[in-house]
Amino acid sequence: MGWKSKGFEANSKSTVTKKWTLLLCIGCFCAGMLFSDRIWNVPEAEDKAIAQAMGVKDERLKLISEGCDPIRMDMEHEPKDILGEVSRTHNAIQTLDKTISNLEMELAATRAVQESIINGSPISGDLKIPEASGKRKYLMVVGINTAFSSRKRRDSVRATWMPQGEERKKLEEEKGIIMRFVIGHSATSGGILDRAIEAEDQKHGDFLRLEHVEGYLELSAKTKSYFATASALWDADFYVKVDDDVHVNIATLGATLARHRTKPRVYIGCMKSGPVLAQKGVRYHEPEYWKFGEEGNKYFRHATGQLYAISKDLASYISINQHVLHKYANEDVSLGSWFIGLDVEHIDDRSLCCGTADCEWKAQAGNVCVASFDWTCSGICKSVERMRDVHRRCGEDKNALWTAAF
């Protein structure tokens, strides 16, 4: 009994040992299979990575041999790309500046309309809020400065160098030239003087009414108002101011201005530098003479007031800054002072101020004058009586305007 029990115990231990041995063998076999799979897979992955790296290297060597190194090309093209970007940025800034300038001009016109509505002043048919800028590009706007008492002067101009009716409309459509008599309002708005101008305008349709009270001592303010209003109403290359006692050859004026079309800021006229008159009671007295230095000093160069022209940018500048531009006693001096300190090209063209005794022989010699008047009268002396004669002697060919190409 004792022996049998011992034998049984020995057999049990042997059975357990065999089972554990079998399990251990199976576990070792599985572990060996797993380990062998990893051993063979890793080199395969590494071979692929090495092959890819070698392929990239070979491709890069090929590109370099052909002169197409991507890194080098990027480095070479980088300065050109920077310059191109700078150029595009500069162009974008210029476009933005022009857009802002156009918006400011439209805003100035809108303010003028609003002020007239608030003040209860009559609004000219021409003075409307612009719906969109740039509808039509004109060569020039010619504003003929006139007064309430100058009806006969206006008629003499209409009968000579200013086209009328359908011809004036044709001039606008075909040649891009706007022509208007420029006048403001009387101190008593809607009075007899204003009604007379309104009746004349209904007959001829050739007025530009300004939100301005007329007066000889207010010519500088009128000049500002004219340029601001004209630049808001018409998109033109040039804006011209001329007095109603001056003879003008429109075709010659257009050809003269067209030569300066590519210049951004030009101020064209007969440039002068007269004395600053400090003595009271004399014509052209300058109350602010002390601003120009000692007595006997001269003004800075500026165009004589009978006729001058400015480019679009300068008219826009006046429109935008009209509320802060200083007014001197003489409007031609005021205009010249507004351009001091600006990058403006002054063009002295003596064909804009021919004498009535000189214009005839100059025309015969083929040098037709743009404008003619008498210096002694600051215009044509007795212009109502003499305008037709001056036009006959000094006027350009009748067909010059319609055959001209500006």
Side-chain angles (χ1 to χ4, degrees):
M1 186 70 182
W3 178 83
K4 287 183 179 179
S5 63
K6 287 181 181 179
F8 177 78
E9 290 177 1
N11 289 336
S12 299
K13 289 180 180 179
S14 177
T15 302
V16 171
T17 302
K18 289 179 180 179
K19 289 180 180 179
W20 282 109
T21 301
L22 180 62
L23 291 174
L24 181 61
C25 290
I26 294 172
C28 289
F29 177 79
C30 293
M33 292 294 294
L34 178 63
F35 182 76
S36 63
D37 286 341
R38 290 185 60 83
I39 294 264
W40 288 109
N41 286 337
V42 169
E44 183 179 355
E46 289 180 353
D47 288 343
K48 289 182 179 179
I50 291 171
Q52 290 177 355
M54 291 298 292
V56 171
K57 186 175 181 180
D58 290 342
E59 186 67 24
R60 179 173 172 76
L61 288 173
K62 182 180 179 182
L63 289 172
I64 292 173
S65 66
E66 295 175 356
C68 300
D69 186 0
I71 297 176
R72 184 179 298 172
M73 290 174 65
D74 289 343
M75 293 176 66
E76 289 177 353
H77 289 150
E78 186 176 358
K80 294 182 180 179
D81 292 340
I82 292 174
L83 292 176
E85 188 65 29
V86 170
S87 177
R88 288 190 291 272
T89 302
H90 179 68
N91 292 335
I93 291 172
Q94 286 184 327
T95 302
L96 181 61
D97 286 343
K98 186 174 182 180
T99 302
I100 292 173
S101 178
N102 290 334
L103 290 174
E104 286 175 332
M105 287 190 294
E106 291 182 12
L107 179 61
T110 304
R111 283 175 176 169
V113 174
Q114 289 176 340
E115 288 175 2
S116 64
I117 293 173
I118 293 171
N119 297 330
S121 302
I123 302 174
S124 166
D126 286 329
L127 191 58
K128 300 175 182 177
I129 299 175
E131 296 177 359
S133 60
K135 283 186 176 180
R136 166 70 194 273
K137 184 73 172 181
Y138 295 92
L139 170 63
M140 62 181 177
V141 176
V142 181
I144 307 169
N145 187 42
T146 191
F148 289 113
S149 60
S150 299
R151 172 62 186 265
K152 291 183 178 181
R153 283 188 179 183
R154 292 190 291 273
D155 285 341
S156 70
V157 170
R158 292 184 179 114
T160 52
W161 57 268
M162 181 181 182
Q164 294 296 296
E166 292 301 319
E167 283 195 346
R168 185 168 59 81
K169 293 180 181 179
K170 181 181 177 182
L171 185 66
E172 296 178 6
E173 295 172 358
E174 296 185 6
K175 303 299 181 181
I177 298 176
I178 303 290
M179 299 184 68
R180 296 288 190 276
F181 286 107
V182 180
I183 195 168
H185 298 274
S186 65
T188 306
S189 181
I192 188 172
L193 296 177
D194 290 316
R195 292 200 300 270
I197 292 295
E198 290 167 6
E200 188 178 346
D201 192 22
Q202 287 180 356
K203 180 179 179 180
H204 298 283
D206 54 6
F207 278 92
L208 171 60
R209 302 297 300 277
L210 305 177
E211 297 307 314
H212 164 79
V213 177
E214 287 289 324
Y216 180 77
L217 298 178
E218 297 298 326
L219 289 178
S220 294
K222 184 176 182 179
T223 300
K224 283 201 301 183
S225 180
Y226 161 61
F227 284 120
T229 305
S231 62
L233 293 174
W234 299 289
D235 181 13
D237 292 319
F238 297 96
Y239 298 86
V240 182
K241 177 262 178 182
V242 59
D243 289 339
D244 61 4
D245 57 352
V246 173
H247 181 271
V248 180
N249 286 315
I250 298 298
T252 308
L253 173 61
T256 299
L257 297 182
R259 291 199 295 268
H260 305 288
R261 218 168 191 168
T262 58
K263 302 173 182 178
R265 292 171 298 277
V266 290
Y267 173 32
I268 307 171
C270 291
M271 299 296 167
K272 65 174 184 177
S273 180
V276 180
L277 301 178
Q279 184 180 353
K280 292 183 179 180
V282 300
R283 193 178 185 185
Y284 307 127
H285 165 63
E286 179 57 76
E288 297 182 87
Y289 63 90
W290 60 273
K291 288 185 177 180
F292 299 91
E294 303 298 327
E295 290 189 26
N297 278 3
K298 291 186 176 181
Y299 288 113
F300 40 78
R301 287 285 173 184
H302 61 280
T304 184
Q306 284 84 358
L307 185 148
Y308 48 73
I310 62 175
S311 58
K312 175 181 174 62
D313 282 2
L314 296 183
S316 300
Y317 172 80
I318 293 173
S319 175
I320 295 167
N321 299 285
Q322 58 181 308
H323 300 296
V324 295
L325 295 176
H326 186 69
K327 303 184 295 293
Y328 289 102
N330 302 301
E331 53 98 6
D332 52 356
V333 172
S334 294
L335 183 71
S337 72
W338 299 336
F339 303 146
I340 294 294
L342 301 183
D343 186 13
V344 175
E345 181 178 353
H346 290 57
I347 298 175
D348 183 18
D349 191 332
R350 310 314 290 186
S351 71
L352 274 65
C353 54
C354 294
T356 56
D358 303 332
C359 59
E360 184 174 8
W361 66 263
K362 288 183 178 180
Q364 291 173 353
N367 299 319
V368 178
C369 292
V370 172
S372 304
F373 57 90
D374 302 307
W375 284 103
T376 55
C377 301
S378 297
I380 297 176
C381 298
K382 299 181 180 179
S383 65
V384 173
E385 294 82 6
R386 295 184 57 228
M387 186 65 78
R388 287 180 179 273
D389 178 62
V390 173
H391 183 64
R392 178 183 59 80
R393 293 186 296 104
C394 307
E396 59 197 359
D397 185 84
K398 293 181 179 180
N399 296 321
L401 184 58
W402 306 113
T403 58
F406 304 117

